Amino acid sequence: MAACVLLVLLDRWLVLERFSFRYIDDDQTIMWNAAEEMAHGRFHEPFFYGQRYNTMLEGLLAVPLLWAGLGHERALPLVTASLALFPYFMLAALAYRDRRPVQTALILVVPIALPVEFGLVSSMPRGFVTGVCLASFSVVPLFPQLRMLLAPCAFLATLAWTANPNAALLLAPVL
């Protein structure tokens, strides 16, 4: 399992190094601006500026990295890549906890098996990955020993749908 985790992390680091840390577009600079504003305690709106979808959650989560001195061009893609990989690591951890090594390995290799474009778009700060990341918590009550977390996970599922409707990719099968 450790080899699978290292392989996924290496793959994502290469995407970050060769693409996300080098190339930007308008959406990313808007996210940089939002992160800078939040780092100074100025919160304008929860959604992408001028839109009613896509949250600035990536910008908010990048604030500690900005305070630590990391540049916007690195801090935000790191947060985005972490949010994109979180559902796979969480689901793999739950499968591993249930002593399902084959399922654990299969879950872990999904980000590598997907087309290269998935790695690129899920490493670009633009609010694309936040919905699925939050929606990943909706699977927790499916594990018998974690059923007591149904209410907080239902709240996070609702929040995920609000953050980005692409959360339906995960919410629909779970619900």
Side-chain angles (χ1 to χ4, degrees):
M1 293 318 130
C4 288
V5 170
L6 288 175
L7 193 59
V8 169
L9 292 175
L10 176 63
D11 176 68
R12 190 50 58 119
W13 182 255
L14 291 173
V15 169
L16 287 166
E17 247 338 287
R18 294 181 178 170
F19 178 74
S20 299
F21 293 158
R22 294 180 184 201
Y23 303 102
I24 61 167
D25 63 11
D26 296 343
D27 286 342
Q28 291 167 60
T29 56
I30 291 170
M31 188 72 72
W32 291 0
N33 184 46
E36 185 67 27
E37 289 289 300
M38 288 185 252
H40 290 93
R42 296 184 294 264
F43 297 85
H44 300 287
E45 62 178 287
F47 294 108
F48 226 76
Y49 295 161
Q51 300 174 351
R52 297 224 0 103
Y53 58 91
N54 285 351
T55 64
M56 292 293 188
L57 182 61
E58 291 158 273
L60 179 63
L61 295 175
V63 167
L65 296 174
L66 296 177
W67 287 341
L70 201 58
H72 297 83
E73 72 285 351
R74 291 201 172 254
L76 279 113
L78 280 171
V79 167
T80 301
S82 299
L83 291 173
L85 293 178
F86 178 80
Y88 300 101
F89 288 139
M90 188 185 85
L91 291 172
L94 291 171
Y96 184 79
R97 183 175 182 228
D98 277 358
R99 292 177 175 76
R100 298 174 182 263
V102 173
Q103 289 87 342
T104 303
L106 287 173
I107 292 167
L108 285 172
V109 299
V110 167
I112 298 171
L114 290 170
V116 172
E117 293 83 6
F118 174 79
L120 301 179
V121 78
S122 63
S123 294
M124 294 170 34
R126 58 176 17 138
F128 176 72
V129 299
T130 54
V132 174
C133 182
L134 291 171
S136 64
F137 289 99
S138 66
V139 303
V140 170
L142 297 178
F143 292 82
Q145 61 274 47
L146 300 173
R147 290 237 164 90
M148 70 278 199
L149 298 174
L150 182 60
C153 291
F155 171 75
L156 286 172
T158 305
L159 191 59
W161 179 262
T162 304
N164 194 311
N166 70 0
L169 296 169
L170 188 55
L171 292 175
V174 169
L175 296 176

